[in-house]
Amino acid sequence: MFKANQNYLRLQGSYLFSTIAKKVAAYTEANPDANIIRLGIGDVTQPLAPVIIDELHKAVDEMGKKETFHGYAPDLGYAFLRDAIADEYKGRGCEISADEIFVSDGAKSDSGNIQEIFSEDAKVAVCDPVYPVYVDSNVMAGRSGEWIPSEQRYSNFIYMPCTEANNFTPEFPKENPDIIYLCYPNNPTGMTISKAQLQEWVDYANRIGAVILYDAAYEAYITEKDVPHSIYECEGARTCAIEIRSFSKNAGFTGVRLGFTVVPKDLRDADGVSLHDLWARRHGTKYNGAPYIIQKAGAVVFTPEGQKEIRAQVSYYQKNARVIYDGLKDAGYTVYGGVNAPYIWLKTPDHMTSWDFFDHLLEDVHVVGTPGSGFGPSGEHFFRLTAFGTYEKTVEAIDRIKSM
Ligand code: MLT
């Protein structure tokens, strides 16, 4: 008789955002008149920018003509998009060439899949709290060890607590990891890292022979000068870092799907094996390329007109972040994040558990957020709100929370 992948049996419950969606659906069914405001999952609400819509229309028309029709996309992405991305890196002083960029259907897929190119016994370090995909994908791959219910953690992972005490920036772990996941600006805390601090991580990774998987999905939200937009702004990152980027949060592509991963050619394992070659091999075998239409739309993001329009959208969400941050502060909450990120991380009042606070908000004021403990044990007694709602609903949600 066949056996299922036993690693999957170690996963805890369902994916965090699916659990929340189910809870909200059950509540809505029981309370059909409740006017729910969703500030839970980080999904955008503003329509795609006009310049992107125009390009999508043009590309669709091209697909309808024999002369301009496109079949399979190149596995690693069209040159027009990879060149545009490489130029953006160059503009930031990062030495990344177009053939080190792998276009994909989004940062979630890449951050879940990237672990496949590492050995099964690689020691994984994650921030705590953390975007659940990094943890779950390594559980599926068999790297987690057992779940320890009393500690709400897996036995084989290295958890790097990000707490108020360390200003939500992890310290180097006591035990040396092989793979280190970092996400800045951070999901879920909305906090970030200075260039000097990130440089220390790069130096550390090079020193111990680890690789940093750097998720920069929220870089468009950086407002402060000293915050790096890319890990490749740090010296030595080419020999220790892979960077994952998204078009979801900067250009509203959550429903369109586009992202990319950078794997420098200098990045080699202990035996000199090129991670770039392995990721290319994986892409070639398991992926037929993001659609032409979508890649055309993605390339527009890097044009001056595209930049102007998407910057306006990012500013819209940044304004929401300010409404949430200031409103909660006024109401006496302890609040973090929101300055360089679209997430606000608040401390639950009266030491309530994250899930109790979730229920409290849902039932009393019909506002949905994300319980901090869903991101890891150090997220307990915290709660995440997203700035990706509409301005009107964000203002209303905060008014409702203030009235509690
Ligand atoms: C989140 O809410 O954490 C994100 O939307 C999840 C994602 O980007 O996949």
Side-chain angles (χ1 to χ4, degrees):
M1 183 65 189
F2 69 84
K3 262 191 125 171
N5 182 341
Q6 300 297 292
N7 298 327
Y8 276 59
L9 307 185
R10 295 203 175 106
L11 291 166
Q12 296 306 301
S14 56
Y15 183 58
L16 174 62
F17 295 106
S18 315
T19 308
I20 292 171
K22 274 188 216 139
K23 269 187 162 259
V24 176
Y27 184 81
T28 313
E29 205 182 314
N31 303 275
D33 296 333
N35 175 11
I36 297 201
I37 301 181
R38 291 162 203 270
L39 301 182
I41 191 164
D43 194 5
V44 294
T45 49
Q46 294 306 292
L48 292 170
V51 68
I52 291 170
I53 291 293
D54 282 353
E55 193 64 21
L56 283 168
H57 282 300
K58 272 193 241 154
V60 167
D61 287 343
E62 280 184 56
M63 294 297 272
K65 292 191 203 104
K66 204 165 144 202
E67 305 72 41
T68 48
F69 170 76
H70 286 79
Y72 288 131
D75 304 336
L76 309 187
Y78 282 100
F80 60 76
L81 179 55
R82 299 166 87 200
D83 288 344
I85 297 168
D87 280 350
E88 194 209 53
Y89 274 110
K90 203 166 159 198
R92 293 202 186 287
C94 306
E95 194 198 323
I96 296 297
S97 60
D99 61 359
E100 294 175 315
I101 295 160
F102 298 75
V103 176
S104 73
D105 64 341
K108 181 176 181 180
S109 324
D110 282 356
S111 57
N113 291 329
I114 193 76
Q115 46 76 27
E116 281 186 31
I117 61 172
F118 297 96
S119 75
E120 277 171 39
D121 61 355
K123 192 86 192 168
V124 174
V126 291
C127 291
D128 167 27
V130 68
Y131 179 43
V133 172
Y134 316 149
V135 169
D136 287 359
S137 57
N138 279 288
V139 174
M140 291 168 177
R143 298 191 183 94
S144 65
E146 296 305 323
W147 174 250
I148 311 171
S150 59
E151 296 176 23
Q152 293 290 297
R153 64 198 292 278
Y154 290 96
S155 59
N156 278 358
F157 291 150
I158 299 172
Y159 290 81
M160 304 182 292
C162 296
T163 61
E164 285 176 297
N166 60 18
N167 203 27
F168 302 96
T169 312
E171 280 131 42
F172 300 146
K174 289 190 183 75
E175 182 187 358
N176 282 353
D178 299 305
I179 303 173
I180 303 162
Y181 285 87
L182 293 180
C183 170
Y184 286 107
N186 187 256
N187 179 14
T189 65
M191 296 295 274
T192 196
I193 196 166
S194 70
K195 187 162 170 202
Q197 284 171 315
L198 187 57
Q199 182 66 58
E200 284 176 20
W201 276 95
V202 167
D203 294 343
Y204 166 76
N206 275 323
R207 198 163 60 239
I208 65 166
V211 63
I212 297 176
L213 303 180
Y214 194 73
D215 183 345
Y218 300 96
E219 63 79 33
Y221 289 82
I222 293 171
T223 58
E224 291 177 325
K225 270 217 160 55
D226 185 36
V227 180
H229 286 251
S230 163
I231 195 164
Y232 302 114
E233 290 174 38
C234 296
E235 232 170 274
R238 286 185 56 84
T239 52
C240 70
I242 288 176
E243 181 162 288
I244 298 169
R245 287 263 305 269
S246 170
F247 287 76
S248 289
K249 320 291 166 144
N250 60 342
F253 277 40
T254 54
V256 178
R257 308 308 309 152
L258 193 66
F260 62 90
T261 287
V262 179
V263 188
K265 290 186 176 161
D266 303 354
L267 186 52
R268 290 177 181 275
D269 83 345
D271 301 318
V273 175
S274 156
L275 293 186
H276 179 278
D277 291 353
L278 296 194
W279 190 238
R281 184 71 174 81
R282 190 219 172 257
H283 240 55
T285 302
K286 294 197 173 181
Y287 192 53
N288 261 335
Y292 172 75
I293 299 164
I294 309 301
Q295 293 197 47
K296 282 299 268 187
V300 169
V301 165
F302 300 96
T303 63
E305 194 54 33
Q307 279 295 304
K308 197 170 131 210
E309 292 186 9
I310 70 164
R311 286 306 321 160
Q313 274 192 355
V314 168
S315 303
Y316 175 93
Y317 296 127
Q318 282 169 328
K319 190 166 146 198
N320 290 349
R322 187 59 31 220
V323 166
I324 301 172
Y325 186 96
D326 291 346
L328 292 176
K329 263 220 137 118
D330 280 356
Y333 284 83
T334 304
V335 197
Y336 297 96
V339 176
N340 294 294
Y343 295 125
I344 285 83
W345 190 239
L346 60 118
K347 227 169 153 172
T348 59
D350 305 326
H351 213 60
M352 271 173 116
T353 71
S354 306
W355 279 106
D356 282 350
F357 189 65
F358 173 90
D359 290 337
H360 177 48
L361 277 197
L362 178 62
E363 287 161 20
D364 293 1
V365 289
H366 304 151
V367 172
V368 178
T370 310
S373 58
F375 296 102
S378 297
E380 183 54 289
H381 305 301
F382 282 89
F383 199 77
R384 193 193 78 175
L385 289 174
T386 162
F388 287 122
T390 65
Y391 177 73
E392 294 72 21
K393 289 209 163 158
T394 303
V395 170
E396 189 180 334
I398 297 307
D399 284 347
R400 290 188 199 174
I401 294 175
K402 278 171 141 177
S403 74
M404 279 195 319

